[in-house]
Amino acid sequence: MDKHISSTQKIYTYVIILLICIISITAAIMRCADLIKNNYLDQAKRNLADISIHNSEYLKDQIEMRYELLESIAKTLDLEPDKRKEKIYLFKPIAESFNLKRIGFCDENGIAYATEGDPVNLSYRDFFQHSMAGEVYLSDVIKDAMDSNHEAITTMTMPIHDKDSNINGVAAITYTIENLNKELSIDIFEGAGSNFVFSDTGFINISSNPSILDIYDNIYDLLWAEMGYNYKSRNQLLSEIIDKSENENYASGTITIKGIKYYYHITPLSLKHIKSRWHVISIVPEEYLNQRFESTKKNLFRMEF
């Protein structure tokens, strides 16, 4: 009888020890999983920042290259003001080689002549007014006024001077948003992430995934609506994001778009010669990162058991 009790006690002891070991191992795995998850999310955020910075530098190089082209065009048009209309058509091969929609100029009254399209009065356009005031200007997305399709475009302009250094026109290069979108369509987190470029006003100029934006063309309107219009003001939302992006050279955090939570990273696009300011934002859904981690956690449990 005593031997039977002793044997039973040993079995209970072994079971208890085994349970303790299983609980300890499970707790250790869960603790390890938490550490891995934190490290994984930190690494994912760093990757997102790297993508945003890379896109910012890439776009900066592309815009600076186009600036140098525009500068050489403006200098050429400076030389013989009375022959500008004839000269502008000679730039058509250059426009094609740089994947531009057109190269052109506006006279001092705002009449535009270009490598394609009929002459049209563009004196009402911001880019004409800014460059006639002496600025190099990069427009937000606008509708093309020089063809009947009114395609989405952006235009970079700079002043043209006469021999006495007076401004007597504006040189311009125009490219389609479709081509810019393609340039920014690099793979992010196996296609789960997206890139956008917006100006200080919040207007979205480039998008690698337009379907996310739904009806919005302004990122501040989108975010303000997603907050249920409960934020203190749309302008405060704008200034907080822009100020952080400019002062700290980045802004990051989480945003919700159409009920989906995203991690985001914003990098300002610093342009040496151009007054306009653009910002690159890269986003990835939180759910995608969680799914990737859950897959890692399952593999960890399989290894232990």
Side-chain angles (χ1 to χ4, degrees), residues 292-303:
R292 287 286 302 272
F293 170 71
E294 287 301 320
S295 176
T296 302
K297 187 168 73 172
K298 287 177 182 177
N299 291 333
L300 181 63
F301 272 102
R302 287 193 190 103
M303 286 189 296

Side-chain angles (χ1 to χ4, degrees), residues 17 39 47 51 86 92 98 131 142 182 202 206 214 228 256 273 279 289 297:
I17 292 172
N39 290 335
N47 291 345
I51 290 167
E86 292 79 9
K92 189 165 186 177
F98 276 83
S131 289
I142 54 178
K182 288 177 182 176
I206 307 174
D214 201 11
T256 301
H273 308 287
H279 307 262
L289 297 181
K297 187 168 73 172

Side-chain angles (χ1 to χ4, degrees), residues 104-221:
F105 77 93
C106 296
D107 65 20
E108 56 192 327
N109 297 313
I111 306 301
Y113 303 87
T115 52
E116 61 115 56
D118 296 326
V120 62
N121 190 334
L122 298 179
S123 60
Y124 64 94
R125 290 290 201 188
D126 286 347
F127 61 72
F128 173 76
Q129 295 169 14
H130 278 268
S131 289
M132 283 299 290
E135 294 179 19
V136 179
Y137 190 78
L138 181 61
S139 77
D140 282 336
V141 175
I142 54 178
K143 296 296 183 182
D144 192 350
M146 293 192 76
D147 70 23
S148 58
N149 295 325
H150 303 300
E151 188 176 14
I153 58 168
T154 187
T155 299
M156 185 189 299
T157 56
M158 69 169 51
I160 303 174
H161 301 85
D162 62 20
K163 62 181 180 180
D164 297 319
S165 298
N166 297 312
I167 298 172
N168 66 353
V170 170
I173 57 173
T174 296
Y175 35 102
T176 65
I177 296 307
E178 182 181 1
N179 285 336
L180 282 178
N181 287 345
K182 288 177 182 176
E183 290 181 355
L184 204 62
S185 295
I186 65 171
D187 183 63
I188 305 179
F189 293 99
E190 300 175 324
S194 303
N195 293 306
F196 306 99
V197 178
F198 63 96
S199 65
D200 277 359
T201 60
F203 198 90
I204 299 163
N205 291 311
I206 307 174
S207 168
S208 67
N209 189 357
S211 63
I212 290 180
L213 303 174
D214 201 11
I215 61 173
Y216 296 97
D217 59 11
N218 188 295
I219 197 166
Y220 300 117
D221 291 337

Side-chain angles (χ1 to χ4, degrees), residues 8-150:
T8 302
Q9 287 177 336
K10 285 182 180 180
I11 291 172
Y12 285 154
T13 300
Y14 292 148
V15 169
I16 291 170
I17 292 172
L18 180 60
L19 287 174
I20 291 172
C21 289
I22 291 173
I23 292 170
S24 299
I25 292 171
T26 302
I29 291 173
M30 296 301 295
R31 173 60 179 161
C32 183
D34 287 340
L35 292 174
I36 291 173
K37 182 175 184 179
N38 291 335
N39 290 335
Y40 176 79
L41 289 177
D42 287 343
Q43 183 59 53
K45 291 174 186 177
R46 285 193 292 270
N47 291 345
L48 194 63
D50 290 342
I51 290 167
S52 179
I53 293 168
H54 169 79
N55 288 336
S56 175
E57 290 299 320
Y58 174 78
L59 278 177
K60 178 182 176 181
D61 290 344
Q62 293 297 308
I63 292 171
E64 292 290 351
M65 180 177 65
R66 291 180 172 105
Y67 166 84
E68 292 173 3
L69 170 64
L70 181 59
E71 188 176 40
S72 67
I73 292 167
K75 288 178 179 177
T76 302
L77 295 173
D78 278 350
L79 299 177
E80 297 178 286
D82 56 330
K83 294 184 179 180
R84 286 175 184 170
K85 294 179 187 178
E86 292 79 9
K87 278 186 174 182
I88 199 64
Y89 297 102
L90 300 176
F91 289 109
K92 189 165 186 177
I94 298 175
E96 291 172 352
S97 66
F98 276 83
N99 207 22
L100 301 172
K101 183 165 187 180
R102 69 174 66 93
I103 294 172
F105 77 93
C106 296
D107 65 20
E108 56 192 327
N109 297 313
I111 306 301
Y113 303 87
T115 52
E116 61 115 56
D118 296 326
V120 62
N121 190 334
L122 298 179
S123 60
Y124 64 94
R125 290 290 201 188
D126 286 347
F127 61 72
F128 173 76
Q129 295 169 14
H130 278 268
S131 289
M132 283 299 290
E135 294 179 19
V136 179
Y137 190 78
L138 181 61
S139 77
D140 282 336
V141 175
I142 54 178
K143 296 296 183 182
D144 192 350
M146 293 192 76
D147 70 23
S148 58
N149 295 325
H150 303 300

